[in-house]
Amino acid sequence: MSYRDLATRPILTWALVAVGARAPVAMAPLAVVFMVRDRPGGYTLGAVLAAVYVLGEIVGAPLLGMRLRAERARPHLAAGLAGGAVGFAVLGLAHDAHPVVLGAAAFVAGAAPAATSGGLRAMLAAMVPERAVAQAVSGESMLIFGIWSVTPAVTTWLALSVRPYLPMLLAAGLMAAAVAGLWALPPGWQADTADRGGEPMRRVLWRAWPVYVTGAAGISLLALAELVLPALLEQRGIALGWAGPLLAGFSAGSAAGAFVYGLRSWPGALRAQSLVLLLAVSGCVALVALLPGAVWLAVLLVLAGVLQAGAMLTRNLLLREVLPPSALTAGYSVMYAAVGAGYAVTGTLSGVLLRSVAPSTAILAGVGLTLLLTVIGVLREPARDPAAGSAARGVASGGAESTPVDGGRDPERSL
């Protein structure tokens, strides 16, 4: 199946809803800093609020994801997005409020919609034939990378040229629009909890912990590229203005990598693909720390972006192998939390190291942490769950994970 076959009305509607749900997430950390930067201690307050927002995501994703019911996913997703819209609206409208009020709003904005990413991914997988799941997940990754490429510039322009709090109001409006858009999508998808054999959800999800560890390892490389790059440019005597184009190249490489990964089937098991890609990205980031010159940085970051996309995709697809279909939504949400935690830990470690070592050394230390997490995860990854085999191999006859509950809507109907 080709990407053209995904250009159906339901899939494009899903993409619009995903933009409304995901763009505010990409805007939030930068937007909250711009919102309070003119207050006394503004940058410190902004960093704290951004950390509280991420903490909300880390806490909310597993808690809410495990409570989401596949057959009635729409009201769960709508409630989460509505809560996020309220949180962002409070941040925008009460931007001069006490920091405790802003912190509570930031936590709600992060926590309430945290299960939406996993829920929308599971819904997308249910809306396409099983043979097209890899292309669908690749398409989702391209959409997300595109969002993350555009939103920083939009956030910066609105905050600096119009009003500092306007990005928060835009985020609230986008999430509210996503709530309305959910009613153009299926209300849920079929998932038979009998595939867990009566085993509690927490125990089922715990078996996949090595996959979450390698997911955190992969995102830690992204954190290194984003957070330490400005300091590395200063160390090399390169103008800081290069930071934006270099990170844009990384995002463009990631979008291209997601597209290429979905074009065909690749040799080797998903575990082997994931290991090779993580090692390759680690090598690229290590060379970023070692090789001088903006040209080398640009080439290595684009290549790292291409490989990073494949590493992220193999993590999501591997969850479909090790978890039964009824646990996939919760599994995606736990992965979302693990990725956020990996980003936060790596960012904190880098910040601490930058106080005492050169940026290049901090990057190499981060790569070492990534390799350690990768080895731990790969060595302990569970075997494929027999109940999850249908989700990984394909269920042409309409398996639990591949059938949307949509009241007769035909997901294959083209525009």
Side-chain angles (χ1 to χ4, degrees):
M1 189 170 183
S2 69
Y3 283 113
R4 286 194 301 271
D5 295 315
L6 297 178
T8 64
R9 191 181 303 275
I11 300 301
L12 295 182
T13 301
W14 177 94
L16 291 175
V17 173
V19 169
R22 298 294 290 161
V25 177
M27 296 169 61
L30 185 59
V32 77
V33 171
F34 279 129
M35 185 184 73
V36 299
R37 73 187 183 97
D38 291 331
R39 295 175 57 159
Y43 283 112
T44 299
L45 175 60
V48 171
L49 292 176
V52 170
Y53 175 84
V54 173
L55 178 62
E57 290 186 301
I58 294 172
V59 172
L63 289 180
L64 299 178
M66 287 191 291
R67 288 165 172 76
L68 195 150
R69 297 293 175 260
E71 295 82 359
R72 299 184 65 254
R74 185 159 59 193
H76 288 260
L77 297 176
L81 288 171
V86 170
F88 281 113
V90 171
L91 286 170
L93 296 174
H95 53 276
D96 290 328
H98 192 276
V100 173
V101 175
L102 297 180
F107 186 87
V108 171
T116 302
S117 176
L120 287 176
R121 182 175 296 126
M123 180 180 288
L124 175 64
M127 292 172 68
V128 300
E130 189 63 36
R131 67 184 184 278
V133 168
Q135 284 85 1
V137 176
S138 296
E140 181 202 24
S141 294
M142 286 188 285
L143 179 66
I144 291 174
F145 286 126
I147 290 171
W148 280 84
S149 298
V150 172
T151 50
V154 173
T155 300
T156 301
W157 180 78
L158 288 175
L160 297 182
S161 301
V162 189
R163 290 288 186 274
Y165 55 83
L166 194 57
M168 289 300 178
L169 298 181
L170 174 60
L174 287 171
M175 280 204 168
V179 173
L182 282 173
W183 265 257
L185 297 176
W189 58 94
Q190 295 178 3
D192 185 4
T193 57
D195 60 12
R196 301 202 303 265
E199 193 173 8
M201 176 70 81
R202 285 184 176 84
R203 187 176 301 172
V204 173
L205 294 175
W206 174 250
R207 288 206 307 268
W209 71 263
V211 184
Y212 309 137
V213 169
T214 47
I219 204 64
S220 66
L221 295 169
L222 174 60
L224 288 173
E226 288 187 341
L227 301 177
V228 187
L229 181 62
L232 181 67
L233 293 177
E234 286 191 337
Q235 179 189 0
R236 299 284 166 76
I238 301 172
L240 284 178
W242 276 97
L246 288 172
L247 290 176
F250 182 92
S251 296
S254 297
F259 176 79
V260 171
Y261 188 88
L263 284 177
R264 48 161 293 178
S265 297
W266 297 90
L270 286 173
R271 287 178 181 80
Q273 293 179 20
S274 176
L275 176 60
V276 170
L277 288 167
L278 282 173
L279 292 177
V281 179
S282 298
C284 288
V285 176
L287 288 175
V288 164
L290 297 174
L291 296 180
V295 175
W296 277 113
L297 289 179
V299 171
L300 289 168
L301 285 174
V302 171
L303 181 57
V306 171
L307 298 169
Q308 171 81 358
M312 292 174 61
L313 286 166
T314 56
R315 294 293 87 196
N316 290 325
L317 293 172
L318 187 56
L319 275 182
R320 294 174 58 82
E321 283 195 351
V322 301
L323 292 178
S326 65
L328 279 175
T329 303
Y332 289 142
S333 296
V334 174
M335 176 68 84
Y336 185 85
V339 164
Y343 192 99
V345 169
T346 304
T348 302
L349 174 64
S350 301
V352 171
L353 289 176
L354 284 174
R355 297 178 181 177
S356 56
V357 301
S360 56
T361 304
I363 290 177
L364 292 175
V367 170
L369 174 63
T370 297
L371 292 175
L372 176 62
L373 293 175
T374 299
V375 170
I376 292 173
V378 170
L379 291 179
R380 299 301 301 272
E381 277 185 0
R384 184 171 63 187
D385 190 303
S390 60
R393 294 189 302 268
V395 190
S397 59
E401 178 66 14
S402 61
T403 305
V405 180
D406 62 355
R409 184 180 290 109
D410 179 12
E412 292 298 295
R413 179 165 52 85
S414 298
L415 288 168

